Structure formats: C-alpha cells, structure tokens
C-alpha cells in the first residue's frame, strides 16, 4: 500500500512524475493523462499499465473517504479502459477479464462500455467462450438493465458470442426473456430470429457436406484397400508359383547330385576290380540309366 503522505505516478508531463496528495480531494485527470501519454505517445505499454494500476489504487483510497460520485466512476472506467489497451499491446489479453474483475470485484458491477470492450477483444482473438458466462451474468443482473449501454452489450452477446458459437437455442431463448425484451424492439427480435434460422440452415448444410465428404473419403479408402489387396494377392500367387518351381528344380538337382555320387562310387569299385562279371553287368545297366536320365540335361547344358 502507498504511504499516507503521497503517491508518485511516473510519466507526468514536463517534470517526469505526477504527485497525488492524499487529501480528501480525489484526483481527476492526471493519472489518465499520464497513462495515455505512455500508451499513445511513448509506446511504453508497461509504464501505462503501471500508471493505471497506481491510479486505481489511489481511487480506491478516495472511495473510502467520500461517496462514489459520477466523477469517480468515470475516472475509474477511463483508467480501466487504458489498462485494457495496455494489456492487449503487451500481448497479455488472456488476463484482461481477470484484471478487470480485480478492479470491480464482481462481473455485475463492471460498466457496460468495459464489458463491450472485453467482448470485442476476446472475439478478435477468437476466445468467445471466455466471455460467455461473464456476459450472461451481467445481462441477467436487473441493476444493469437501466444502463445506457445495456442494449449494445446484449447485441454483441447475441451476434458475436451465442450465434457464432452455435448456441442458437440459447439465443432464441434469450429473445423471449426479460433481457431480450428490454434490449431489443419487436422488429429487432424478429430480425434476430431470422438470423438464427439462417445460421441453423448453414450449420445443417455444413453438417451434410461433412458427412458426404466422410462417405466419399471412406469409399475412396476402401477402393484403394481393395486394389492393394488384389495386387498383394497376385504377388503372393506369383511368389508361390516361383517357389514351387524352384523347389521342384532343387529336388531334381539334389537327386542328380546323389545319383552322380553313387555313380562315382560305383566306377571307383569297378575300376579297382573289374574281374567280377556281375559288376560288369551292373556297370552296363547303370550306364544305360545314366544316359537315359542325364544325357539330355548335359547335352542341353553343353549347347548353352
């Protein structure tokens, strides 16, 4: 907390700081001017935010000493608006709503123009859901219905939050409640219903298109899978045939090698001892068998 003697605000014109005394007289424009100078002229957004926070702290002290006047309410709103702009420039937009609630305590107590500014900010960064519940609570507070900006807040809520988020049933229900009757005329409510109908048709068309796209994609994938399966089947058949032929060839080659080994063994026995006549007859039989089985094979190889 600040000391009871004074509060120093950086960034005043000329002297470099602005001194706010703690006298009962509440400061009017000095904090706002200093914050705007930081924000618009010097582009020092952090200094602008700090100046707004110091000014709001000083205003809170003044509020304890005197009743909240119109001047106090306007000055607090001005400092809050500049603070929101500084937070946005610092890319700290995600904490804007929380920062505003720190200044006002409750959502229902936030002025209409600040609620409007928050809606537009979160719509711009495509974070509508952040504001949905807060704006709904604000609109259903009976004390806010008398504010001059109530209709604008309701319109922004309807057009930029409920309808784009697809809450068309809630949007139609809102038109029939006290919020819709206070915020809109009968012609405006009829136009709003037409807008909801158009949005529902767009949603239905989009849903149908998505289903057709999914069906086409599924069919295409299935046809591709069928073609791939057919190709794999053909390849497997070719491999099976090739392996079958190879296995037969391998068997024949093995048999030939075995028979050749037997012949070599036989020839060795015959050449060692040709005196046995039954061996000579066996030699003739084996020679005939050899010529019958292997003669064509070797002649074919010799031609190659």
């Amino acid at each position: 907390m600040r000391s009871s003697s004074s509060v120093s605000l950086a960034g005043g014109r000329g002297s470099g700081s602005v001194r706010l005394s703690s006298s009962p007289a509440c400061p009017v424009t000095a904090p706002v001017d200093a914050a705007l100078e930081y924000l618009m002229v010097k582009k020092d957004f952090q200094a602008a935010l700090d100046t707004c926070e110091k000014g709001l702290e000083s205003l809170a002290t003044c509020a304890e000493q005197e009743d909240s006047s119109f001047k106090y309410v306007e000055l607090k709103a001005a400092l809050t608006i500049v603070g929101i702009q500084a937070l946005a420039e610092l890319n700290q937009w995600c904490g804007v709503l929380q920062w505003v609630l720190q200044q006002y305590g409750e959502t229902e107590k936030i002025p209409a123009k600040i609620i409007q500014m928050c809606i537009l900010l979160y719509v711009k960064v495509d974070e509508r859901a952040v504001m949905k519940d807060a704006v709904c609570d604000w609109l259903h507070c009976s004390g806010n219905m008398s504010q001059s900006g109530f209709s604008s807040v309701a319109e922004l809520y309807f057009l930029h939050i409920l309808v784009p988020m697809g809450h068309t049933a809630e949007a139609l229900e809102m038109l029939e409640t006290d919020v819709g009757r206070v915020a809109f005329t009968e012609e405006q409510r009829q136009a709003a219903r037409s807008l909801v109908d158009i949005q529902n048709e767009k949603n239905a068309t989009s849903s149908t298109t998505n289903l057709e796209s999914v069906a086409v994609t599924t069919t295409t994938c299935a046809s591709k899978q069928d073609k791939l399966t057919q190709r794999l089947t053909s390849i497997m058949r070719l491999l099976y045939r090739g392996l079958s032929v190879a296995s037969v060839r391998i068997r024949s080659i093995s048999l030939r090698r075995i028979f050749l080994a037997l012949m070599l063994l036989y020839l060795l026995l015959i050449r060692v001892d040709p005196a046995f006549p039954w061996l000579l007859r066996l030699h003739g039989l084996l020679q005939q068998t050899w010529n019958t089985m292997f003669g064509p094979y070797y002649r074919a190889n010799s031609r190659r």
Side-chain angles (χ1 to χ4, degrees):
M1 297 299 292
R2 301 285 182 252
S3 62
S4 59
S5 59
S6 65
V7 177
S8 176
L9 294 182
R13 292 193 179 96
S15 62
S17 64
V18 176
R19 307 288 291 185
L20 297 179
S21 64
S22 60
S23 61
C26 186
V28 181
T29 60
V32 179
D33 292 340
L36 284 173
E37 184 174 354
Y38 276 122
L39 181 71
M40 305 300 295
V41 180
K42 298 181 179 180
K43 304 297 182 181
D44 189 345
F45 307 121
Q46 186 61 54
L49 178 62
D50 294 340
T51 303
C52 290
E53 290 179 341
K54 292 175 182 178
L56 289 166
E57 287 182 11
S58 179
L59 282 177
T61 303
C62 292
E64 295 175 357
Q65 298 175 359
E66 59 182 41
D67 295 334
S68 297
S69 62
F70 176 79
K71 186 181 295 184
Y72 164 81
V73 172
E74 289 299 311
L75 182 57
K76 183 175 182 178
L79 287 170
T80 305
I81 289 172
V82 176
I84 292 172
Q85 293 174 336
L87 286 169
E89 293 290 349
L90 291 169
N91 200 26
Q92 297 179 18
W93 53 266
C94 57
V96 165
L97 180 60
Q98 188 62 35
W99 185 82
V100 172
L101 287 173
Q102 289 176 1
Q103 314 311 323
Y104 286 92
E106 298 177 1
T107 304
E108 293 79 1
K109 295 181 179 180
I110 301 174
K113 53 188 173 183
I114 294 178
I115 284 287
Q116 295 174 35
M117 190 173 184
C118 291
I119 293 174
L120 295 174
L121 173 62
Y122 281 99
V123 166
K124 184 177 181 180
V125 297
D126 198 20
E127 292 289 344
R128 296 174 173 84
V130 176
M131 291 299 300
K132 182 180 181 300
D133 293 337
V135 179
C136 183
D137 294 341
W138 191 92
L139 287 171
H140 285 86
C141 178
S142 58
N144 292 327
M145 292 184 180
S146 59
Q147 291 195 40
S148 59
F150 182 81
S151 296
S152 298
V153 174
E155 183 179 354
L156 289 174
Y157 180 64
F158 184 89
L159 294 176
H160 295 288
I161 295 181
L162 291 181
V163 175
M165 290 182 66
H167 299 293
T168 53
E170 187 175 347
L172 290 174
E173 183 181 354
M174 170 188 165
L175 296 175
E176 304 303 325
T177 62
D178 293 339
V179 173
R181 295 189 185 96
V182 172
F184 307 120
T185 63
E186 183 58 34
E187 293 180 356
Q188 289 174 331
R189 288 196 292 163
Q190 186 61 37
R193 294 189 190 99
S194 300
L195 180 63
V196 171
D197 292 338
I198 294 172
Q199 185 65 34
N200 285 333
E201 292 177 0
K202 288 182 179 179
N203 293 339
T205 303
S206 177
S207 178
T208 303
T209 303
N210 291 336
L211 290 175
E212 292 177 353
S213 177
V214 170
V216 171
T217 303
T218 304
T219 304
T220 304
C221 292
S223 62
K224 289 182 178 179
Q225 290 179 354
D226 292 340
K227 292 180 180 179
L228 181 60
T229 303
Q230 292 175 0
R231 290 180 181 179
L232 289 175
T233 303
S234 300
I235 293 172
M236 292 300 294
R237 287 176 180 175
L238 290 174
L239 287 174
Y240 177 75
R241 291 175 182 175
L243 289 174
S244 299
V245 173
S247 63
V248 172
R249 185 65 178 272
I250 290 170
R251 289 195 196 100
S252 63
I253 292 173
S254 299
L255 291 174
R256 287 167 183 167
R257 288 179 178 178
I258 293 171
F259 192 83
L260 180 60
L262 291 175
M263 283 296 299
L264 290 174
L265 181 61
Y266 158 72
L267 290 175
L268 288 173
L269 292 174
I270 291 298
R271 298 310 179 197
V272 170
D273 191 3
F276 295 95
W278 62 272
L279 287 175
L280 292 175
R281 288 194 298 272
L282 180 60
H283 175 269
L285 182 60
L286 290 174
Q287 186 69 39
Q288 184 180 359
T289 305
W290 172 273
N291 293 333
T292 302
M293 293 183 63
F294 297 96
Y297 174 76
Y298 281 102
R299 284 195 295 271
N301 289 338
S302 62
R303 290 174 184 173
R304 294 178 185 176

